[in-house]
Amino acid sequence: MVTAKRRRGRPPKDKEGYNETKEALIRAGLEILTEKGFVSSSIDEVLKKVSIPKGSFYHYFSSKEEFGKLLLERYISFFANKLKKHLHNEALTPLNRLQAFIADASNKMEEYDFKRGCLIGNMGQEMSVIPESFREQLKEGFELWQDLIAGALQAAQETGEINSNIDCRMMAQVFWTGWEGAVMRARIEESTEPLSQFSLFFLNCLSC
């Protein structure tokens, strides 16, 4: 007879309590990792934020790597929904939808005193020192977001807002490459000016 290995920590007795604690850990993890990245963030910081003993963490997640992968999955989905909220808003023209997203994202950075960045961007910069298992997930996240931007640009072409000769998929990739760089510089300078400069440049390119 094989005895299952007991996981560390004492979990809540009820499923509802289990889920609440797990969600609290995920929220705390997202807050910390969007500020500090994966490598510089510690499990102890997450646990302190939600006030649970260290041993309990391993009842919910087998390792920091598993925890990080779930956080990345949640963040990618959260940000995709944020994009859809703006880019599928039929009350605005397609190009104005993109501008609304840019304005909202800029305001959020300012609201959090430029401490929080993009989790994908943070972890992408750490790729040489984080587990290789994150690479495919990071690529898939960017591709999902790029598809949403490409769809908005294609809609803008259909309404005549931007040049009909533009390769929308390529420009969507250019957008995220430039945007991530602008986010990093905005955090360094504690200013939305890098976001504004990049956005103006990108939008002007659409009419070339």
Side-chain angles (χ1 to χ4, degrees), residues 6-12 18 21 25 43-44 46-48 50-63:
R6 186 175 180 180
R7 304 185 77 174
R8 285 178 280 174
R10 181 175 296 174
Y18 175 95
T21 303
L25 288 166
I43 298 303
D44 285 343
V46 176
L47 296 170
K48 184 177 180 180
V50 296
S51 301
I52 67 170
K54 186 171 185 176
S56 294
F57 176 85
Y58 296 101
H59 178 74
Y60 302 98
F61 309 99
S62 63
S63 64

Side-chain angles (χ1 to χ4, degrees), residues 15-55:
K15 185 176 181 181
E16 183 178 352
Y18 175 95
N19 290 335
E20 286 179 359
T21 303
K22 186 174 182 178
E23 287 302 314
L25 288 166
I26 290 169
R27 288 194 298 271
L30 285 170
E31 288 178 20
I32 293 169
L33 265 68
T34 50
E35 290 186 10
K36 303 177 66 173
F38 182 79
V39 174
S40 297
S41 300
S42 71
I43 298 303
D44 285 343
E45 287 178 281
V46 176
L47 296 170
K48 184 177 180 180
K49 203 170 185 67
V50 296
S51 301
I52 67 170
K54 186 171 185 176

Side-chain angles (χ1 to χ4, degrees), residues 81-127:
N81 288 331
K82 184 184 182 75
L83 281 164
K84 290 174 185 177
K85 173 187 171 184
H86 291 291
L87 301 181
H88 296 171
N89 180 7
E90 296 185 358
L92 300 175
T93 66
L95 204 56
N96 284 339
R97 296 171 200 169
L98 178 57
Q99 291 172 313
F101 159 71
I102 291 169
D104 182 36
S106 299
N107 290 338
K108 286 297 182 185
M109 285 203 72
E110 195 166 27
E111 179 182 332
Y112 290 110
D113 297 322
F114 302 97
K115 289 183 172 61
R116 295 188 189 178
C118 170
L119 185 54
I120 280 192
N122 289 352
M123 294 180 71
Q125 292 175 59
E126 299 177 304
M127 198 60 242

